[in-house]
Amino acid sequence: MRPQDVAQGPHTVAVTVEAAGRVTPEIVQALLDIDLQTFSEPTLTAYTAAVFLDQGRVFLLRVDGAVIGATVLVRSWATPTEVTLVSMGIRPGWRGQGLGQRFVQGVAEQVAAEGATGITLLVPRDNRRALKVYEDVGFRRRRELEAEPYTADRLVVLHRSLEP
C-alpha cells in the first residue's frame, strides 16, 4: 500500500500497510510488544512470532516509518484459498482514529491481490470495539463458538469475501 497522509492533531503523518518480509529480531520484538499492549494475556512468544513471520503472513502498520500495528494471517486448512486473521493489534495512543479500519482494508487488498478469496477471524463476543472495526470494513457474522472452558465466553466468527 502506498503511503497515505493522515491528520494527527496539527500534523500530518504518512501511514503505510506493508508485508513484514523476513524474520528479524526487531520485527519479532515489535510483534511481542504490540501483542502485550493489545491483549489481556500474551498470545505470542518469540518462537510463534518467528513461525508466523516465516510460514504465515504478517503485515505491519507504520506511521512515519515506526511500527504501530501488526496483523498475523495463516492459510485456512478448510479452504486453502482463504486466510485466517489470527491476531491484530495497534499500539495504545494510535487507537480510535480509524487506523484499524485502514489497516484491515489495506491487508484485505494485499491478500486479495495475492489470490486470497476471503478472510475469516474470531473475536470475543464482548469485544464490541473490535467487532465494529471489522464490521465497518465488510466482515459479516457467521456463527458463534463456545471456546472458553472456564467462563463460557463466546467467540464470534466473522468472514469477509474478497471476490469481486
Side-chain angles (χ1 to χ4, degrees):
M1 174 182 169
R2 292 179 6 171
Q4 295 180 335
D5 290 336
V6 176
Q8 175 71 22
H11 307 338
T12 300
V13 295
V15 176
T16 58
V17 175
E18 65 184 41
R22 63 187 177 84
V23 179
T24 68
E26 296 78 21
I27 298 299
V28 168
Q29 189 61 56
L31 290 176
L32 295 175
D33 291 346
I34 291 166
D35 180 70
L36 288 173
Q37 294 169 353
T38 301
F39 302 104
S40 58
E41 57 188 48
T43 64
L44 293 176
T45 64
Y47 170 79
T48 56
V51 168
F52 286 133
L53 281 160
D54 191 59
Q55 299 296 313
R57 202 75 161 104
V58 175
F59 288 90
L60 304 174
L61 178 64
R62 292 184 183 266
V63 170
D64 288 341
V67 177
I68 65 153
T71 188
V72 174
L73 297 101
V74 295
R75 287 263 181 211
S76 167
W77 281 89
T79 311
T81 60
E82 297 207 356
V83 295
T84 301
L85 194 152
V86 176
S87 175
M88 183 186 114
I90 296 178
R91 292 183 191 275
W94 292 99
R95 298 175 188 159
Q97 302 175 45
L99 293 173
Q101 286 93 337
R102 284 177 190 262
F103 193 20
V104 173
Q105 184 61 35
V107 167
E109 289 169 6
Q110 290 190 43
V111 298
E114 295 174 15
T117 60
I119 303 175
T120 298
L121 61 100
L122 285 75
V123 176
R125 182 174 59 183
D126 64 350
N127 191 340
R128 291 185 188 100
R129 184 179 221 172
L131 289 168
K132 179 171 177 13
V133 167
Y134 295 117
E135 289 174 334
D136 283 352
V137 292
F139 283 82
R140 300 292 169 250
R141 295 175 191 225
R142 278 201 165 161
R143 64 186 187 281
E144 289 190 10
L145 303 174
E146 190 172 330
E148 176 56 55
Y150 303 109
T151 65
D153 287 343
R154 298 182 69 80
L155 297 172
V156 177
V157 179
L158 297 161
H159 182 265
R160 176 178 166 183
S161 175
L162 299 176
E163 296 180 303

